[in-house]
Amino acid sequence: MNSLILTILGIAMMLAGYALYSAFLGRKIFALNANYTTPAHTLEDGVDYVPTNKYVLWGHHFTSVAGAAPIVGPAIAVIWGWLPAFLWVTIGTVFIAGMHDLGALWASVRHKGQSIGTLSGRYIGARGRNLFLVVIFLLLLMVNAAFAVVISKLLVSTPTAVIPTWGAIIVALLIGQAIYRLNWNLPLVSIVGVIALYSLMVIGDKYPIVLPDNIAGLTPGAVWIITLFIYAGIASLLPVWVLLQPRDYINGLQLFVGLIILYGSVLVTSPTLVAPVINHNMPDGAPSMVPLLFVTIACGAISGFHGMVSSGTSSKQINNEQDTRFVGYFGAVGEGLLALGAIIATTAGFKTLAQWQEIYNAFGQGGVKAFVAGGSTLINEGLGIPASLSSTILATMAVLFAATTMDTGVRLQRLVVQEIGDIAGVKITPIAATIIVLAVALGLTFSAGGDGSGGMLIWPLFGTTNQLMAALTLSIICVILARLGRNYLVAIIPLIFVLIMSFWALIVQLKGFYNDSNWLLLTLDIIILIAAVWVTIEAASALSKAKNNPITQEEFDGDNLNTTPVSA
């Protein structure tokens, strides 16, 4: 099949979803109100609660939720064939991810910017909240530790990405000052920022940075991991407008430029998809497509991490409640477009089926490496950009997205630690909470040796844990909508589907961990499974009570007056 047809069809489906379905959700389901005063205004503190231009906030939200996962997941899942991956990304984005992200953002905005964990305590109960926090903490630990490893490997394997990766921080700091201190024109700042970022890629391509093999007994990868965590810890404590917002915003713009370059290459060359529609010649030992497809592709179809970002940082920056539709739903569309680009790059970026099969000769192969290899070939042939620079552009794109997710992930985990402290009656300062987060993440990362490979130890549980988190977030949205007497079918149908696939995948993995005598993952799998079952039962009970105890919109608004900020 011609990849151009698939590209046009996928983009059209997602844009139609934003234009039509998100408008329906905003008007009929969530009843977005431009006159509602958001917590960014009522609780403004200049650090976490900051009224933000919706385009700047979209950049922060989109790049925080995207990371490397919408590249890695689809780039692995195409081993089952391009059609299943395409259908899950497009249908998932339109009917599940967009609704989930918009719903989580709306729910938090209507509750003083409180996290989804706090909302679980309110709508499901104290037991549900405590178990919810266990799942959240483990998920954030997986993201922070694993993404540090992914970034470090890319910086080692693609040294041309080092200068643009760290130079982007300086660009972001300057953009933050230009927007918030100097009040410069946003379009002008955006154009200059994008030009600066891509100039850094050209410079990085000419001057690669390669670290020595041994630095104080540490490998280059280990040095990068430690540096990344120190940076993320500092970034998590800074006011969002100083670094987090502008960094994510400019990264969002560079991603769209990167996607335009990638999709433009497809438009020019119209390459054929060499991968099979459905792969009937799977490698030995590969798992079945159902249910594993639906947890292998998480970000790009639906992701529980999005709910944590929506309620953890983005909700505290919403200037007008109607902005939630653009920030939340269109943020999911942006990630879906990235996942679609990963599918195209890893199925049309190779000359022959045999060449594709060399990469996908075992389950778990592909990932960022296949995306960079296939995508750079398309860009080189389509637009004539040198192969080395093409690889630098795509590798930098992957690194910057993973890094922005780490920024947000460490900040979110710091807030979770503070929230756990509040529940236990212990006041934990932001600095102390950040030290705890970094200690746990670094402890895991280096638990398997000095190379930092321990960061990937619990990554096999990411997909299932992430999707269970999404299902639990959907359950809270269902309960809120039921209490308001609104149609919650838009949430409960995706909830049931995601919950079934997640539990099924957890059980499949449980058997695999037992057969492999992997007692660490087996124990964590059991803990997550028990917590998820318990929270699901609590949520079902809460939903039943909510249907019989509705409240009016006036009662709902009055009950959620923005008067007291959550821990920040």
Side-chain angles (χ1 to χ4, degrees):
M1 181 178 178
N2 190 300
S3 61
L4 182 59
I5 296 174
L6 196 68
T7 300
I8 293 173
L9 182 60
I11 293 174
M13 289 174 66
M14 292 187 213
L15 294 181
Y18 175 70
L20 301 175
Y21 191 53
S22 76
F24 162 75
L25 292 173
R27 186 176 62 256
K28 296 292 187 181
I29 304 301
F30 301 119
L32 302 180
N33 183 358
N35 295 321
Y36 179 78
T37 306
T38 65
H41 289 281
T42 58
L43 304 175
E44 184 174 359
D45 62 6
V47 179
D48 292 312
Y49 290 84
V50 180
T52 304
N53 177 286
K54 71 176 183 179
Y55 299 106
V56 175
L57 182 54
W58 176 86
H60 153 69
H61 178 82
F62 165 50
T63 53
S64 293
V65 300
I71 296 174
V72 175
I76 291 175
V78 293
I79 196 169
W80 286 298
W82 61 259
L83 182 60
F86 173 79
L87 290 176
W88 177 225
V89 163
T90 51
I91 295 173
T93 294
V94 172
F95 293 107
I96 305 180
M99 189 280 304
H100 168 275
D101 294 10
L102 170 56
L105 187 55
W106 165 79
S108 182
V109 166
R110 284 283 173 161
H111 293 81
K112 309 172 189 175
Q114 292 176 334
S115 72
I116 207 70
T118 301
L119 293 182
S120 67
R122 175 168 185 163
Y123 286 99
I124 296 179
R127 286 193 303 265
R129 175 199 60 198
N130 295 341
L131 292 167
F132 214 109
L133 287 174
V134 171
V135 177
I136 291 173
F137 186 87
L138 287 174
L139 181 57
L140 288 171
L141 179 60
M142 292 176 197
V143 169
N144 293 334
F147 276 25
V149 176
V150 170
I151 296 169
S152 69
K153 286 184 176 180
L154 278 170
L155 292 177
V156 172
S157 65
T158 314
T160 54
V162 172
I163 288 178
T165 294
W166 296 105
I169 298 173
I170 299 174
V171 174
L173 288 169
L174 294 175
I175 287 176
Q177 295 298 316
I179 294 175
Y180 288 99
R181 294 295 191 194
L182 304 177
N183 296 316
W184 285 8
N185 178 271
L186 181 60
L188 176 62
V189 172
S190 303
I191 292 170
V192 172
V194 170
I195 292 174
L197 203 54
Y198 274 87
S199 297
L200 286 170
M201 294 182 195
V202 174
I203 295 171
D205 187 54
K206 292 184 177 295
Y207 302 100
I209 304 295
V210 180
L211 295 182
D213 291 337
N214 189 310
I215 302 177
L218 297 173
T219 65
V223 172
W224 284 131
I225 288 171
I226 294 171
T227 305
L228 284 162
F229 273 117
I230 292 173
Y231 156 74
I234 295 172
S236 74
L237 293 168
L238 292 174
V240 290
W241 67 268
V242 173
L243 180 59
L244 190 67
Q245 275 185 4
R247 176 174 165 82
D248 292 355
Y249 173 65
I250 200 64
N251 282 346
L253 292 180
Q254 73 87 16
L255 168 74
F256 260 85
V257 173
L259 286 178
I260 290 171
I261 292 173
L262 181 59
Y263 286 135
S265 303
V266 174
L267 179 64
V268 171
T269 59
S270 299
T272 300
L273 300 170
V274 299
V277 179
I278 296 178
N279 192 4
H280 297 290
N281 187 29
M282 292 290 292
D284 293 338
S288 61
M289 180 173 67
V290 180
L292 270 298
L293 169 70
F294 302 101
V295 297
T296 301
I297 300 179
C299 299
I302 181 173
S303 166
F305 183 71
H306 293 203
M308 288 188 285
V309 174
S310 294
S311 65
T313 59
S314 299
S315 63
K316 298 174 178 61
Q317 302 169 59
I318 289 289
N319 180 54
N320 185 301
E321 187 177 66
Q322 290 191 335
D323 293 348
T324 56
R325 179 181 161 223
F326 180 76
V327 174
Y329 194 101
F330 197 65
V333 168
E335 187 174 67
L337 291 173
L338 178 56
L340 176 62
I343 292 172
I344 299 299
T346 54
T347 56
F350 300 94
K351 298 292 185 182
T352 64
L353 175 60
Q355 191 182 56
W356 181 82
Q357 288 174 329
E358 285 182 17
I359 298 291
Y360 289 90
N361 56 14
F363 183 75
Q365 299 298 305
V368 175
K369 180 180 178 181
F371 170 73
V372 172
S376 60
T377 298
L378 291 177
I379 293 172
N380 175 244
E381 294 181 354
L383 302 180
I385 297 176
S388 175
L389 181 56
S390 298
S391 296
T392 299
I393 291 172
L394 293 177
T396 302
M397 182 190 300
V399 168
L400 290 181
F401 276 95
T404 52
T405 299
M406 263 193 75
D407 289 0
T408 303
V410 171
R411 181 179 289 260
L412 289 173
Q413 197 166 19
R414 183 254 293 174
L415 292 171
V416 169
V417 169
Q418 290 182 262
E419 191 171 338
I420 292 172
D422 290 343
I423 293 171
V426 178
K427 183 66 176 178
I428 303 177
T429 66
I431 293 177
T434 301
I435 292 173
I436 292 171
V437 168
L438 296 182
V440 173
L442 283 168
L444 173 65
T445 305
F446 289 100
S447 62
D451 60 352
S453 60
M456 303 303 292
L457 282 178
I458 60 175
W459 183 251
L461 282 170
F462 169 76
T464 46
T465 307
N466 194 34
Q467 301 305 66
L468 278 172
M469 183 69 208
L472 298 176
T473 301
L474 287 170
S475 69
I476 293 172
I477 296 171
C478 282
V479 173
I480 295 174
L481 292 176
R483 290 216 67 192
L484 288 169
R486 296 180 191 167
N487 184 353
Y488 56 86
L489 287 177
V490 296
I492 201 168
I493 292 174
L495 164 62
I496 293 171
F497 177 78
V498 173
L499 199 59
I500 290 173
M501 292 301 158
S502 301
F503 277 131
W504 188 353
L506 263 178
I507 292 170
V508 169
Q509 288 183 315
L510 196 67
K511 180 180 178 181
F513 297 148
Y514 178 79
N515 291 338
D516 295 339
S517 298
N518 192 329
W519 307 122
L520 172 63
L521 292 184
L522 180 68
T523 302
L524 289 175
D525 196 320
I526 292 172
I527 291 172
I528 293 168
L529 186 61
I530 292 173
V533 169
W534 198 332
V535 175
T536 300
I537 293 172
E538 298 269 0
S541 174
L543 180 60
S544 177
K545 293 176 183 176
K547 290 188 293 184
N548 298 320
N549 186 30
I551 59 175
T552 66
Q553 182 68 51
E554 289 73 20
E555 291 173 318
F556 180 70
D557 289 343
D559 196 31
N560 295 302
L561 291 175
N562 296 307
T563 55
T564 307
V566 295
S567 297

